[in-house]
Amino acid sequence: MNNQEYYDRLGVSKDASQDEIKKAYRKMSKKYHPDINKSPGAEEKYKEVQEAYDTLGDEQKRAAYDQYGPSGANGFNGGSGGFGGFDGTAGFGGFEDIFSSFFGGAAQRNPNAPRQGDDLQYRVQLKFEEAIFGTEKEVTYNREATCHTCGGSGSKPGTAPVSCHKCHGQGVVTVDMQTPLGTMRRQVTCDICHGTGQEIKNPCLTCHGTGHEKEKHTVSVKIPAGVESGQQVRLTGQGEAGFNGGPYGDLFVMITVQPSDKFERDGSTIYYTLNLSIVQAALGDVVDVPTVHGDVELSIPAGTQTGKTFRLRGKGAPKLRGGGQGDEHVTVKVITPTKLNNAQKEALRAFAEASDDSISKPKKKGFFDKVKDAFEGE
Ligand SMILES: [Zn+2]
Ligand SMILES: [Zn+2]
Protein backbone atom coordinates (compact mmCIF):
# COMPACT_ATOMS: atom_id res chain seq x y z
CA MET A 1 0.00 0.00 0.00
CA ASN A 2 1.31 3.40 -0.93
CA ASN A 3 -0.51 6.42 0.44
CA GLN A 4 2.26 8.93 -0.17
CA GLU A 5 2.61 8.93 -3.93
CA TYR A 6 -0.35 11.18 -4.76
CA TYR A 7 1.05 13.81 -2.41
CA ASP A 8 4.43 13.53 -4.11
CA ARG A 9 2.84 13.98 -7.53
CA LEU A 10 1.38 17.29 -6.43
CA GLY A 11 4.48 18.20 -4.42
CA VAL A 12 2.62 18.79 -1.17
CA SER A 13 2.99 17.33 2.31
CA LYS A 14 0.51 14.88 3.76
CA ASP A 15 -0.97 17.49 6.06
CA ALA A 16 -1.55 20.05 3.30
CA SER A 17 -4.86 21.91 3.45
CA GLN A 18 -7.44 21.52 0.67
CA ASP A 19 -6.48 25.01 -0.40
CA GLU A 20 -2.80 24.14 -0.73
CA ILE A 21 -3.68 20.99 -2.64
CA LYS A 22 -5.82 22.96 -5.07
CA LYS A 23 -3.07 25.53 -5.61
CA ALA A 24 -0.45 22.85 -6.15
CA TYR A 25 -2.74 21.11 -8.60
CA ARG A 26 -3.26 24.29 -10.65
CA LYS A 27 0.46 24.86 -10.80
CA MET A 28 1.37 21.30 -11.75
CA SER A 29 -1.38 20.83 -14.30
CA LYS A 30 -0.48 24.10 -16.02
CA LYS A 31 3.15 23.00 -16.12
CA TYR A 32 2.35 19.68 -17.80
CA HIS A 33 -0.71 20.60 -19.81
CA PRO A 34 -0.32 19.10 -23.31
CA ASP A 35 -1.34 22.42 -24.91
CA ILE A 36 1.65 24.11 -23.28
CA ASN A 37 4.24 21.48 -22.58
CA LYS A 38 5.28 19.54 -25.69
CA SER A 39 8.18 17.67 -24.11
CA PRO A 40 7.96 13.88 -24.07
CA GLY A 41 6.41 12.46 -20.94
CA ALA A 42 4.54 15.67 -20.14
CA GLU A 43 1.19 14.21 -21.04
CA GLU A 44 1.84 11.20 -18.83
CA LYS A 45 2.79 13.54 -15.97
CA TYR A 46 -0.32 15.56 -16.60
CA LYS A 47 -2.49 12.46 -16.26
CA GLU A 48 -0.75 11.45 -13.06
CA VAL A 49 -1.31 14.88 -11.54
CA GLN A 50 -4.91 14.70 -12.65
CA GLU A 51 -5.37 11.30 -10.99
CA ALA A 52 -3.74 12.47 -7.76
CA TYR A 53 -5.97 15.53 -7.54
CA ASP A 54 -9.06 13.51 -8.35
CA THR A 55 -8.48 11.74 -5.02
CA LEU A 56 -6.78 14.34 -2.82
CA GLY A 57 -9.10 17.14 -3.90
CA ASP A 58 -12.06 15.26 -2.47
CA GLU A 59 -12.11 15.13 1.36
CA GLN A 60 -13.72 11.70 1.52
CA LYS A 61 -11.57 10.07 -1.12
CA ARG A 62 -8.51 11.63 0.48
CA ALA A 63 -9.40 10.16 3.88
CA ALA A 64 -9.87 6.73 2.31
CA TYR A 65 -6.58 7.07 0.46
CA ASP A 66 -4.73 8.08 3.65
CA GLN A 67 -6.05 5.02 5.39
CA TYR A 68 -6.04 2.38 2.67
CA GLY A 69 -3.97 3.70 -0.24
CA PRO A 70 -5.18 3.95 -3.85
CA SER A 71 -7.43 0.89 -3.53
CA GLY A 72 -9.21 2.55 -0.62
CA ALA A 73 -9.93 5.64 -2.67
CA ASN A 74 -10.96 3.68 -5.73
CA GLY A 75 -13.27 1.23 -4.16
CA PHE A 76 -13.59 -1.51 -1.67
CA ASN A 77 -15.60 -4.14 -3.47
CA GLY A 78 -18.43 -4.97 -1.21
CA GLY A 79 -20.67 -7.60 -2.71
CA SER A 80 -24.36 -8.15 -2.27
CA GLY A 81 -26.98 -6.90 0.10
CA GLY A 82 -26.51 -3.17 -0.06
CA PHE A 83 -22.95 -3.60 1.01
CA GLY A 84 -20.59 -1.48 -0.96
CA GLY A 85 -17.80 1.02 -1.02
CA PHE A 86 -16.31 3.97 -2.77
CA ASP A 87 -16.94 3.64 -6.45
CA GLY A 88 -15.81 6.99 -7.66
CA THR A 89 -19.25 8.42 -8.26
CA ALA A 90 -18.57 11.34 -5.96
CA GLY A 91 -18.57 14.32 -8.26
CA PHE A 92 -15.27 15.82 -9.28
CA GLY A 93 -16.01 19.21 -10.67
CA GLY A 94 -12.77 21.11 -10.32
CA PHE A 95 -11.14 20.30 -13.64
CA GLU A 96 -13.34 22.09 -16.07
CA ASP A 97 -13.88 25.00 -13.73
CA ILE A 98 -10.18 25.66 -13.52
CA PHE A 99 -9.35 25.15 -17.18
CA SER A 100 -12.29 26.90 -18.72
CA SER A 101 -10.68 30.20 -17.83
CA PHE A 102 -7.36 29.32 -19.49
CA PHE A 103 -8.06 27.11 -22.43
CA GLY A 104 -11.39 25.75 -23.20
CA GLY A 105 -13.92 28.52 -23.30
CA ALA A 106 -16.81 28.53 -20.93
CA ALA A 107 -19.84 26.44 -20.24
CA GLN A 108 -18.50 23.12 -21.46
CA ARG A 109 -20.75 21.60 -18.91
CA ASN A 110 -24.37 22.61 -18.76
CA PRO A 111 -24.83 24.27 -15.35
CA ASN A 112 -28.55 23.64 -15.53
CA ALA A 113 -28.13 19.89 -15.89
CA PRO A 114 -29.24 17.83 -12.90
CA ARG A 115 -26.31 16.91 -10.69
CA GLN A 116 -26.13 14.36 -7.91
CA GLY A 117 -25.54 15.64 -4.36
CA ASP A 118 -22.37 14.92 -2.39
CA ASP A 119 -21.72 11.63 -0.64
CA LEU A 120 -21.34 11.65 3.13
CA GLN A 121 -19.41 9.46 5.49
CA TYR A 122 -20.45 8.38 8.98
CA ARG A 123 -18.42 6.30 11.42
CA VAL A 124 -20.07 3.62 13.52
CA GLN A 125 -18.42 1.67 16.30
CA LEU A 126 -19.71 -1.85 16.88
CA LYS A 127 -19.29 -4.16 19.82
CA PHE A 128 -17.40 -7.37 19.03
CA GLU A 129 -20.59 -9.47 19.09
CA GLU A 130 -22.61 -6.93 17.06
CA ALA A 131 -20.14 -7.29 14.20
CA ILE A 132 -20.48 -11.07 14.33
CA PHE A 133 -24.25 -11.30 14.47
CA GLY A 134 -25.15 -8.11 12.60
CA THR A 135 -27.29 -5.37 14.00
CA GLU A 136 -29.36 -2.36 13.14
CA LYS A 137 -28.16 1.12 14.11
CA GLU A 138 -29.90 4.46 14.02
CA VAL A 139 -27.55 7.18 12.88
CA THR A 140 -28.31 10.90 13.05
CA TYR A 141 -26.34 13.51 11.15
CA ASN A 142 -26.66 16.94 9.57
CA ARG A 143 -26.98 17.14 5.82
CA GLU A 144 -28.00 19.50 3.05
CA ALA A 145 -31.56 18.61 2.11
CA THR A 146 -33.84 19.95 -0.59
CA CYS A 147 -35.48 23.11 0.78
CA HIS A 148 -38.98 22.20 1.92
CA THR A 149 -40.34 25.69 1.22
CA CYS A 150 -39.35 26.14 -2.43
CA GLY A 151 -38.78 22.49 -3.37
CA GLY A 152 -35.21 23.32 -4.41
CA SER A 153 -35.92 26.10 -6.93
CA GLY A 154 -34.50 28.80 -4.66
CA SER A 155 -37.29 31.18 -5.57
CA LYS A 156 -39.99 32.34 -3.19
CA PRO A 157 -43.08 30.20 -3.82
CA GLY A 158 -45.25 31.87 -6.46
CA THR A 159 -42.27 33.63 -8.11
CA ALA A 160 -39.92 32.43 -10.82
CA PRO A 161 -36.29 33.23 -11.70
CA VAL A 162 -35.74 35.90 -14.37
CA SER A 163 -33.18 36.13 -17.17
CA CYS A 164 -29.73 37.16 -15.84
CA HIS A 165 -29.11 40.89 -16.34
CA LYS A 166 -25.38 40.51 -17.03
CA CYS A 167 -25.32 37.69 -19.58
CA HIS A 168 -28.91 38.13 -20.80
CA GLY A 169 -29.66 34.49 -20.13
CA GLN A 170 -26.61 33.19 -22.05
CA GLY A 171 -24.76 31.96 -18.95
CA VAL A 172 -21.48 33.21 -20.47
CA VAL A 173 -19.81 36.58 -21.02
CA THR A 174 -16.95 37.48 -23.37
CA VAL A 175 -13.71 38.85 -21.92
CA ASP A 176 -10.09 39.45 -22.95
CA MET A 177 -7.70 37.34 -20.92
CA GLN A 178 -3.96 37.19 -20.41
CA THR A 179 -3.00 33.53 -20.72
CA PRO A 180 0.33 31.72 -20.98
CA LEU A 181 -0.34 31.64 -24.73
CA GLY A 182 -0.95 35.39 -25.08
CA THR A 183 -4.06 37.56 -25.01
CA MET A 184 -7.17 35.70 -25.92
CA ARG A 185 -10.79 36.59 -26.28
CA ARG A 186 -12.75 34.06 -24.38
CA GLN A 187 -16.20 33.26 -23.24
CA VAL A 188 -16.27 32.62 -19.52
CA THR A 189 -18.99 31.55 -17.16
CA CYS A 190 -21.09 34.48 -15.97
CA ASP A 191 -20.20 35.34 -12.39
CA ILE A 192 -23.67 36.62 -11.55
CA CYS A 193 -25.70 33.55 -12.45
CA HIS A 194 -22.81 31.02 -12.46
CA GLY A 195 -23.80 29.89 -15.90
CA THR A 196 -27.42 29.16 -15.30
CA GLY A 197 -28.58 32.24 -17.25
CA GLN A 198 -31.13 32.84 -14.56
CA GLU A 199 -31.23 35.20 -11.64
CA ILE A 200 -33.39 34.71 -8.60
CA LYS A 201 -35.08 38.03 -7.92
CA ASN A 202 -37.23 36.85 -5.04
CA PRO A 203 -35.15 34.37 -3.07
CA CYS A 204 -36.91 31.81 -0.91
CA LEU A 205 -36.87 33.02 2.70
CA THR A 206 -35.96 29.58 4.06
CA CYS A 207 -32.93 28.79 1.89
CA HIS A 208 -32.00 32.32 0.67
CA GLY A 209 -31.99 31.11 -2.91
CA THR A 210 -29.71 28.09 -2.54
CA GLY A 211 -32.51 25.53 -2.83
CA HIS A 212 -30.94 23.61 0.03
CA GLU A 213 -31.43 23.74 3.78
CA LYS A 214 -29.62 22.05 6.66
CA GLU A 215 -31.49 19.12 8.08
CA LYS A 216 -30.96 16.77 11.00
CA HIS A 217 -31.50 13.41 9.40
CA THR A 218 -31.93 10.02 11.04
CA VAL A 219 -31.67 6.77 9.16
CA SER A 220 -31.61 3.14 10.20
CA VAL A 221 -28.58 1.16 9.01
CA LYS A 222 -28.67 -2.63 8.68
CA ILE A 223 -25.21 -3.97 9.50
CA PRO A 224 -24.73 -7.43 7.96
CA ALA A 225 -23.45 -10.27 10.18
CA GLY A 226 -19.71 -10.86 9.87
CA VAL A 227 -18.51 -7.32 9.14
CA GLU A 228 -15.03 -6.20 10.10
CA SER A 229 -13.27 -2.92 10.85
CA GLY A 230 -12.63 -0.84 7.73
CA GLN A 231 -15.64 -2.08 5.80
CA GLN A 232 -18.47 0.22 4.79
CA VAL A 233 -22.18 -0.02 4.27
CA ARG A 234 -23.55 2.17 1.50
CA LEU A 235 -26.98 3.76 1.79
CA THR A 236 -28.11 5.06 -1.57
CA GLY A 237 -29.72 8.50 -1.48
CA GLN A 238 -28.92 9.25 2.15
CA GLY A 239 -26.19 11.78 1.34
CA GLU A 240 -26.72 15.44 0.41
CA ALA A 241 -29.38 16.89 -1.85
CA GLY A 242 -28.66 17.13 -5.57
CA PHE A 243 -28.70 20.20 -7.79
CA ASN A 244 -31.21 21.15 -10.49
CA GLY A 245 -33.41 18.23 -9.53
CA GLY A 246 -30.52 15.72 -9.48
CA PRO A 247 -30.62 12.81 -7.03
CA TYR A 248 -29.27 12.81 -3.48
CA GLY A 249 -25.73 11.53 -2.88
CA ASP A 250 -25.05 8.39 -0.85
CA LEU A 251 -24.12 7.76 2.77
CA PHE A 252 -21.12 5.55 3.51
CA VAL A 253 -21.18 4.06 6.98
CA MET A 254 -17.60 3.21 7.98
CA ILE A 255 -17.35 0.37 10.49
CA THR A 256 -14.98 0.03 13.43
CA VAL A 257 -15.22 -3.06 15.64
CA GLN A 258 -14.25 -2.87 19.31
CA PRO A 259 -11.92 -5.60 20.56
CA SER A 260 -13.18 -8.33 22.90
CA ASP A 261 -11.51 -9.05 26.24
CA LYS A 262 -12.01 -12.80 25.65
CA PHE A 263 -11.62 -13.43 21.96
CA GLU A 264 -9.46 -12.49 19.02
CA ARG A 265 -10.87 -12.55 15.53
CA ASP A 266 -9.42 -12.83 12.04
CA GLY A 267 -12.12 -12.89 9.38
CA SER A 268 -14.51 -15.69 10.25
CA THR A 269 -12.07 -17.42 12.64
CA ILE A 270 -12.24 -16.67 16.36
CA TYR A 271 -9.34 -17.45 18.69
CA TYR A 272 -9.62 -18.29 22.38
CA THR A 273 -6.89 -19.16 24.89
CA LEU A 274 -7.89 -21.90 27.34
CA ASN A 275 -6.02 -21.92 30.64
CA LEU A 276 -5.60 -25.38 32.21
CA SER A 277 -4.02 -26.42 35.48
CA ILE A 278 -1.12 -28.87 35.29
CA VAL A 279 -3.41 -31.52 36.79
CA GLN A 280 -6.15 -30.95 34.17
CA ALA A 281 -3.54 -31.02 31.43
CA ALA A 282 -1.85 -34.15 32.77
CA LEU A 283 -4.92 -36.21 33.69
CA GLY A 284 -7.40 -34.84 31.16
CA ASP A 285 -10.75 -33.20 31.93
CA VAL A 286 -14.04 -32.03 30.48
CA VAL A 287 -14.32 -28.22 30.53
CA ASP A 288 -16.75 -25.51 29.39
CA VAL A 289 -15.21 -23.33 26.70
CA PRO A 290 -16.80 -19.93 25.92
CA THR A 291 -17.73 -19.15 22.33
CA VAL A 292 -19.71 -16.23 20.91
CA HIS A 293 -22.55 -18.74 20.50
CA GLY A 294 -22.47 -19.82 24.18
CA ASP A 295 -20.39 -22.31 26.17
CA VAL A 296 -19.32 -25.55 24.52
CA GLU A 297 -18.20 -28.71 26.34
CA LEU A 298 -14.69 -29.76 25.37
CA SER A 299 -12.92 -33.02 26.34
CA ILE A 300 -9.28 -32.45 27.14
CA PRO A 301 -7.28 -35.65 26.64
CA ALA A 302 -4.72 -36.70 29.27
CA GLY A 303 -1.24 -35.36 28.53
CA THR A 304 -2.32 -32.15 26.77
CA GLN A 305 0.52 -29.67 26.23
CA THR A 306 0.60 -25.89 26.09
CA GLY A 307 0.04 -24.78 22.49
CA LYS A 308 -2.27 -27.67 21.60
CA THR A 309 -5.16 -26.27 19.51
CA PHE A 310 -8.69 -27.64 19.31
CA ARG A 311 -11.07 -26.57 16.57
CA LEU A 312 -14.72 -25.94 17.42
CA ARG A 313 -16.42 -26.21 14.03
CA GLY A 314 -19.00 -23.55 13.18
CA LYS A 315 -18.40 -21.62 16.40
CA GLY A 316 -16.70 -18.67 14.70
CA ALA A 317 -18.08 -15.66 12.84
CA PRO A 318 -20.23 -15.90 9.70
CA LYS A 319 -18.48 -15.57 6.35
CA LEU A 320 -19.67 -12.43 4.60
CA ARG A 321 -19.62 -13.78 1.08
CA GLY A 322 -20.50 -17.30 0.12
CA GLY A 323 -22.10 -17.87 3.49
CA GLY A 324 -21.20 -20.50 6.05
CA GLN A 325 -19.71 -20.13 9.46
CA GLY A 326 -16.09 -19.98 10.61
CA ASP A 327 -14.54 -21.98 13.47
CA GLU A 328 -13.26 -21.16 16.92
CA HIS A 329 -9.66 -22.16 17.57
CA VAL A 330 -9.03 -23.03 21.23
CA THR A 331 -5.37 -22.95 22.19
CA VAL A 332 -4.28 -24.51 25.50
CA LYS A 333 -2.06 -22.71 27.97
CA VAL A 334 -0.96 -24.82 30.94
CA ILE A 335 -0.60 -22.64 34.03
CA THR A 336 2.21 -23.48 36.47
CA PRO A 337 0.92 -23.00 40.05
CA THR A 338 2.62 -20.17 41.93
CA LYS A 339 1.26 -20.12 45.48
CA LEU A 340 1.60 -23.62 46.91
CA ASN A 341 0.75 -24.56 50.50
CA ASN A 342 2.76 -27.21 52.35
CA ALA A 343 0.39 -30.03 51.54
CA GLN A 344 0.60 -29.21 47.84
CA LYS A 345 4.40 -29.04 47.94
CA GLU A 346 4.50 -32.43 49.67
CA ALA A 347 2.24 -33.89 47.01
CA LEU A 348 4.48 -32.56 44.25
CA ARG A 349 7.61 -33.91 45.92
CA ALA A 350 5.92 -37.26 46.26
CA PHE A 351 5.04 -37.00 42.59
CA ALA A 352 8.66 -36.20 41.73
CA GLU A 353 9.90 -39.19 43.73
CA ALA A 354 7.40 -41.46 42.06
CA SER A 355 8.63 -40.25 38.65
CA ASP A 356 12.04 -40.95 37.22
CA ASP A 357 11.58 -39.02 34.04
CA SER A 358 12.68 -35.49 34.91
CA ILE A 359 12.87 -33.51 31.68
CA SER A 360 15.94 -31.47 32.60
CA LYS A 361 18.35 -33.41 34.84
CA PRO A 362 19.35 -31.53 38.02
CA LYS A 363 23.12 -30.99 38.08
CA LYS A 364 24.83 -32.00 41.32
CA LYS A 365 22.22 -31.91 43.99
CA GLY A 366 18.55 -32.70 43.84
CA PHE A 367 16.47 -29.79 42.54
CA PHE A 368 14.61 -29.21 45.81
CA ASP A 369 17.85 -29.17 47.90
CA LYS A 370 19.21 -26.51 45.59
CA VAL A 371 16.14 -24.34 46.01
CA LYS A 372 16.42 -24.75 49.80
CA ASP A 373 20.06 -23.63 49.62
CA ALA A 374 19.15 -20.58 47.67
CA PHE A 375 16.70 -19.43 50.27
CA GLU A 376 18.53 -20.51 53.43
CA GLY A 377 22.17 -20.02 52.48
CA GLU A 378 23.89 -17.15 54.23
ZN1 LIG B 1 -36.02 27.45 -0.45
ZN1 LIG C 1 -25.58 35.54 -16.00
Side-chain angles (χ1 to χ4, degrees):
M1 183 191 83
N2 179 354
N3 54 14
Q4 174 70 46
E5 202 199 326
Y6 284 177
Y7 290 94
D8 292 343
R9 287 186 195 174
L10 296 180
V12 295
S13 68
K14 283 193 86 163
D15 54 12
S17 68
Q18 281 299 311
D19 220 44
E20 288 170 319
I21 286 174
K22 197 167 183 174
K23 271 188 196 142
Y25 165 63
R26 283 178 196 226
K27 206 177 104 190
M28 298 298 267
S29 51
K30 240 196 280 177
K31 185 172 166 192
Y32 294 116
H33 194 281
D35 285 358
I36 298 172
N37 192 332
K38 302 287 183 196
S39 60
E43 193 174 341
E44 192 56 40
K45 278 268 190 203
Y46 177 75
K47 280 179 190 158
E48 287 179 0
V49 164
Q50 180 65 42
E51 184 189 33
Y53 182 69
D54 195 358
T55 292
L56 300 186
D58 180 299
E59 298 267 21
Q60 285 192 9
K61 287 187 188 177
R62 184 184 178 187
Y65 177 79
D66 284 347
Q67 206 168 352
Y68 304 112
S71 58
N74 291 334
F76 155 77
N77 261 332
S80 58
F83 201 70
F86 286 106
D87 59 5
T89 51
F92 167 65
F95 175 72
E96 286 170 12
D97 298 344
I98 291 165
F99 278 96
S100 60
S101 54
F102 287 112
F103 307 104
Q108 292 166 333
R109 189 173 59 189
N110 179 5
N112 295 315
R115 240 181 332 128
Q116 187 170 22
D118 287 339
D119 293 337
L120 292 175
Q121 198 178 54
Y122 191 96
R123 286 174 191 278
V124 156
Q125 215 180 45
L126 300 180
K127 296 199 178 77
F128 190 79
E129 282 79 9
E130 287 179 325
I132 288 168
F133 296 110
T135 183
E136 200 158 339
K137 291 268 172 197
E138 283 217 327
V139 302
T140 299
Y141 52 98
N142 291 318
R143 69 168 181 176
E144 292 283 340
T146 302
C147 174
H148 74 278
T149 306
C150 63
S153 75
S155 288
K156 210 169 177 175
T159 72
V162 297
S163 196
C164 173
H165 74 273
K166 184 167 178 183
C167 64
H168 309 291
Q170 297 304 302
V172 291
V173 288
T174 305
V175 291
D176 286 336
M177 290 191 75
Q178 298 302 320
T179 79
L181 305 175
T183 305
M184 291 187 182
R185 175 151 287 191
R186 288 259 170 253
Q187 286 199 319
V188 299
T189 304
C190 170
D191 59 334
I192 298 292
C193 63
H194 304 290
T196 63
Q198 295 189 322
E199 228 182 320
I200 292 169
K201 279 285 181 207
N202 298 290
C204 164
L205 295 178
T206 306
C207 65
H208 308 290
T210 64
H212 286 177
E213 65 175 326
K214 282 264 183 234
E215 150 188 281
K216 198 170 208 177
H217 185 61
T218 299
V219 67
S220 185
V221 188
K222 275 204 173 69
I223 313 278
V227 291
E228 293 179 79
S229 283
Q231 293 180 324
Q232 331 186 46
V233 177
R234 176 184 193 159
L235 280 89
T236 307
Q238 300 297 341
E240 303 212 291
F243 302 88
N244 303 319
Y248 273 76
D250 299 334
L251 177 73
F252 291 91
V253 178
M254 290 278 286
I255 288 166
T256 312
V257 182
Q258 291 173 348
S260 159
D261 51 7
K262 257 190 221 150
F263 304 109
E264 305 266 350
R265 180 182 161 200
D266 182 13
S268 64
T269 307
I270 290 176
Y271 297 90
Y272 177 75
T273 301
L274 177 68
N275 290 342
L276 292 178
S277 75
I278 52 173
V279 177
Q280 285 176 304
L283 301 181
D285 203 353
V286 177
V287 297
D288 280 338
V289 175
T291 79
V292 292
H293 306 274
D295 286 0
V296 167
E297 216 175 76
L298 180 64
S299 286
I300 307 293
T304 294
Q305 306 288 350
T306 285
K308 165 80 183 168
T309 295
F310 299 93
R311 180 188 295 241
L312 301 177
R313 290 209 183 274
K315 296 299 180 186
K319 293 170 183 165
L320 263 184
R321 299 182 248 299
Q325 195 86 9
D327 302 330
E328 177 172 307
H329 291 206
V330 178
T331 302
V332 167
K333 186 177 171 192
V334 179
I335 305 295
T336 306
T338 49
K339 284 170 189 160
L340 295 173
N341 61 32
N342 284 334
Q344 289 169 321
K345 286 181 194 163
E346 275 312 310
L348 282 177
R349 283 184 192 120
F351 169 76
E353 268 160 38
S355 330
D356 50 7
D357 59 344
S358 297
I359 299 168
S360 305
K361 277 280 178 212
K363 244 191 165 178
K364 284 174 193 160
K365 299 175 173 184
F367 172 71
F368 293 107
D369 294 334
K370 224 177 165 183
V371 173
K372 244 172 106 188
D373 287 352
F375 281 98
E376 290 172 0
E378 265 220 49

